[in-house]
Amino acid sequence: MNGKQRIQAALAGEMPDKRPVMLHCFMAAVQEAGVSMREYRNDPEVAARCHIDFIEKYDLDGVLFDVDTALLAGAAGAGIDYPENDPARVCQPLLDDLEDLNCLRQVDISRNARIQHSLEAVRLLKKYFGDEIYVRGNCDQAPFSLACALRGPENFMMDLIMDEERALELIETLTPLTCQYIELMAATGADMVSNGDSPAGPSMVSPEMYQRFAWPAEKKVCEAAHAKGLPWLLHICGNTDLILPAMNTLGCDAVELDYLTTPELCYDIFHERTALFGTVDPSGVLALGTPEIVEAECKKLLEVYRDCPRLVLSAGCALPPNTPEENIRTLVRCAHQS
């Protein structure tokens, strides 16, 4: 089997010849390539080459293309800060209030240069790897997270409590933007699409609020991906134990969760139909741990899923740029030799 076939097997519930690996590695790939983050986010050929070199160096099975968490917010009109050597971030929320959302209904993200950059980079990756490596195009923020970015976290959290109907209207207004990104990414030839919705996790809101505000929009985005014939993955950081049952009703093909979520609970809830991407700690274990610690943590997760094919071993979130080479190689070795 090649890398693409291994990940396809994991998604289909069929045991591959080796456990596949896909890493959220754009910062580490940029660091190893010796280019700046500014070059990475401005030139799709540079961005694609960073990932190509990283994939081939570490013998990974899939490539996750990501830029930062401010693509959709910037395309919608928020102020974005672009550091030379760090990912871009929202520095000025767009909405002072929820009185008029018409400006968002007019947004066409296909006109945005940064959106086009990400699409072109994925096209280049797909052209290079063909059907050998599984290509996942990340489509930035799910609608709940995008609403949080455009309002600012403090204002948005207050909206959820004090102005529920308008908060829902904002999320519903933003859902077509995320769905449009899914549709644009599907046209690149990507094998899978994904979105992040970390502010919707229990670290920020209650499980009841997740189901009321975030889940319906995630469901629509999932359906948009499936309408294009693509599997969809949802990423949420933090300890997601309390919302795993609700996530399991979305119909998503995979979830990407981090080390704070209980692996045994992931297995119990997801193993029959949903693949798990994760859940090795990217900072405390992969960036700061020893190869022995990395191996021990990988083996724990592999043991939980020993009889289940629906696992793609990875870090639960983005690898820090200073992640040691030996630790990455240890993770890959543990997966491929299991």
Side-chain angles (χ1 to χ4, degrees):
M1 283 182 163
N2 61 32
K4 180 178 177 179
Q5 291 167 337
R6 291 187 190 106
I7 293 179
Q8 285 178 321
L11 290 167
E14 301 168 359
M15 191 65 78
D17 63 337
K18 302 176 183 179
R19 291 286 188 175
V21 178
M22 176 186 285
L23 293 173
H24 192 171
C25 61
F26 76 103
M27 291 188 291
V30 167
Q31 178 86 354
E32 291 207 7
V35 301
S36 68
M37 192 61 70
R38 185 180 298 277
E39 291 174 283
Y40 174 84
R41 64 173 170 257
N42 286 342
D43 188 332
E45 292 188 359
V46 169
R49 176 48 58 183
C50 288
H51 284 280
I52 289 167
D53 291 347
F54 199 88
I55 293 295
E56 294 184 336
K57 177 178 179 178
Y58 292 106
D59 190 27
L60 304 183
D61 299 287
V63 53
L64 160 57
F65 184 78
D66 199 9
V67 184
D68 50 61
T69 58
L71 284 174
L72 282 171
I80 310 297
D81 179 33
Y82 299 104
E84 181 71 23
N85 288 304
D86 289 307
R89 53 198 173 226
V90 176
C91 62
Q92 182 59 53
L94 177 67
L95 301 170
D96 292 329
D97 56 54
L98 297 178
E99 291 294 330
D100 186 4
L101 301 180
N102 284 330
C103 62
L104 294 173
R105 297 186 177 98
Q106 311 303 318
V107 173
D108 177 2
I109 67 166
S110 69
R111 300 174 181 270
N112 182 266
R114 295 225 302 142
I115 296 289
Q116 286 297 329
H117 163 277
S118 72
L119 300 174
E120 178 59 17
V122 173
R123 278 191 286 266
L124 291 170
L125 288 168
K126 188 62 185 174
K127 180 179 179 181
Y128 183 87
F129 287 121
D131 288 329
E132 293 297 314
I133 297 294
Y134 197 80
V135 177
R136 170 180 152 200
N138 194 50
C139 297
D140 201 45
Q141 303 296 287
F144 183 94
S145 295
L146 181 56
C148 187
L150 293 179
R151 274 290 280 148
E154 292 183 8
N155 287 335
F156 186 58
M157 292 300 118
M158 290 300 297
D159 293 338
L160 299 179
I161 298 170
M162 305 297 293
D163 199 351
E164 178 177 313
E165 292 307 315
R166 285 190 176 175
L168 282 169
E169 183 184 2
L170 173 60
I171 296 166
E172 291 167 0
T173 301
L174 294 172
T175 300
L177 299 188
T178 303
C179 290
Q180 185 186 11
Y181 202 174
I182 293 283
E183 293 167 2
L184 292 168
M185 188 62 75
T188 67
D191 300 304
M192 168 185 260
V193 289
S194 60
N195 294 97
D197 213 8
S198 291
S203 298
M204 293 285 285
V205 299
S206 70
E208 294 76 18
M209 293 175 78
Y210 167 77
Q211 290 186 267
R212 170 70 169 147
F213 294 99
W215 188 96
E218 292 172 354
K219 180 69 171 177
K220 290 179 181 178
V221 176
C222 178
E223 291 171 350
H226 289 169
K228 292 296 180 180
L230 290 179
W232 183 68
L233 176 149
L234 176 64
H235 169 84
I236 297 182
C237 290
N239 186 335
T240 55
D241 286 358
L242 295 175
I243 62 170
L244 294 182
M247 292 174 68
N248 193 41
T249 64
L250 284 166
C252 55
D253 304 275
V255 290
E256 185 176 71
L257 305 171
D258 73 19
Y259 72 101
L260 292 171
T261 296
T262 305
E264 292 81 2
L265 190 57
C266 291
Y267 175 85
D268 289 343
I269 291 173
F270 292 122
H271 77 275
E272 291 186 354
R273 63 179 183 182
T274 305
L276 173 66
F277 285 53
T279 58
V280 182
D281 180 357
S283 297
V285 172
L286 285 167
L288 301 175
T290 63
E292 292 75 21
I293 292 173
V294 173
E295 182 173 2
E297 292 302 309
C298 289
K299 286 184 175 180
K300 286 180 186 178
L301 182 58
L302 290 165
E303 176 61 22
V304 172
Y305 271 78
R306 64 186 180 279
D307 297 321
C308 177
R310 298 186 190 275
L311 175 68
V312 177
L313 193 64
S314 65
C317 200
L319 285 180
N322 61 336
T323 304
E325 175 178 333
E326 185 55 36
N327 286 355
I328 298 172
R329 292 195 183 280
T330 298
L331 182 146
V332 176
R333 176 177 53 78
C334 286
H336 286 176
Q337 293 181 0
S338 64

